[in-house]
Amino acid sequence: MVKSTVIVTMLLILQIGLSSCSNNATPEVAANAVRVSVRTVGSSDAPQQYVFSGNIEGKHKVTLSTKIMGQITSMPYDAGTRVSAGQVVVKINSDDLRAKRAQIKASALEAQAAFKNAEVNYERMKNLYVNKSASQKELDDVETMYQMASAKKNAVKEMENEINDAIGYGELRSPFNGFIVAKMAQQG
């Protein structure tokens, strides 16, 4: 009897074990389950290239121009060329301005010599006037010549500044790093 009880118990355990491992169990469905559809993924031909139209504008844009007229002697870059800040992009013939600068330098030497002469004469005349060897009129005349020589020297100095500034406009430089977009003039 003990033997039969052991066999029955073993069979019962075996049946419970086998029934818990079966594939026929029905899953529990949640009360608010979401229905989904399943699709099969396949391959298709997609374009490898896209074409878009539009305009690209840079952050900075400038049109270069000059204050002087003249023949363009150098314009070495074409549209699309990258340039750096300070790089010369156009040179204009300024030989006439250089000749004018040479004339002004000669005038400056002349004005400096006239000023030194007037200064010496003025100091001399002041000493003569103090010693009562010259009249007030003579002192006034020499003082006027001294002032005129000083004014001429200053005027020539300003002319030098002006011509140097004008010669500087003979070279157009890129104000910042960028690209040349268009050339609106030609060399020659």
Side-chain angles (χ1 to χ4, degrees):
M1 181 128 171
V2 174
K3 206 178 191 183
S4 68
T5 312
V6 169
I7 292 178
V8 171
T9 308
M10 291 287 273
L11 285 175
L12 187 61
I13 290 175
L14 184 63
Q15 184 179 4
I16 292 172
L18 289 175
S19 68
S20 67
C21 292
S22 82
N23 285 338
N24 294 337
T26 54
E28 291 185 27
V29 178
N32 36 354
V34 177
R35 290 194 172 266
V36 294
S37 63
V38 178
R39 298 199 182 213
T40 305
V41 177
S43 65
S44 66
D45 292 333
Q48 296 296 319
Q49 184 179 48
Y50 295 98
V51 177
F52 299 100
S53 63
N55 293 327
I56 297 175
E57 290 190 20
K59 184 177 178 182
H60 303 287
K61 185 178 180 181
V62 66
T63 301
L64 297 179
S65 63
T66 182
K67 289 183 177 181
I68 64 170
M69 300 292 288
Q71 182 179 14
I72 296 173
T73 58
S74 174
M75 201 171 190
Y77 306 108
D78 294 321
T81 305
R82 181 172 182 73
V83 292
S84 301
Q87 192 172 355
V88 176
V89 293
V90 176
K91 286 185 182 180
I92 297 173
N93 184 349
S94 55
D95 289 343
D96 57 335
L97 294 176
R98 291 188 204 315
K100 183 77 169 168
R101 180 168 55 185
Q103 291 173 351
I104 291 172
K105 283 188 178 189
S107 293
L109 292 173
E110 180 185 346
Q112 183 64 31
F115 175 75
K116 282 185 179 182
N117 185 36
E119 187 176 39
V120 168
N121 286 338
Y122 178 60
E123 291 300 321
R124 187 177 300 140
M125 191 57 69
K126 280 194 326 188
N127 289 335
L128 289 173
Y129 180 74
V130 168
N131 292 330
K132 306 252 189 244
S133 296
S135 68
Q136 181 68 41
K137 166 103 171 76
E138 290 172 319
L139 178 64
D140 291 344
D141 289 345
V142 171
E143 184 178 4
T144 301
M145 289 190 334
Y146 171 73
Q147 290 172 348
M148 287 172 41
S150 176
K152 180 166 174 104
K153 184 179 89 165
N154 292 338
V156 169
K157 179 72 174 155
E158 291 304 315
M159 287 170 62
E160 279 182 309
N161 292 340
E162 181 181 2
I163 198 68
N164 289 334
D165 185 48
I167 288 173
Y169 286 106
E171 290 183 343
L172 296 179
R173 298 179 179 274
S174 174
F176 46 80
N177 295 336
F179 292 90
I180 294 178
V181 177
K183 288 171 71 171
M184 297 179 195
Q186 296 299 321
Q187 184 173 337

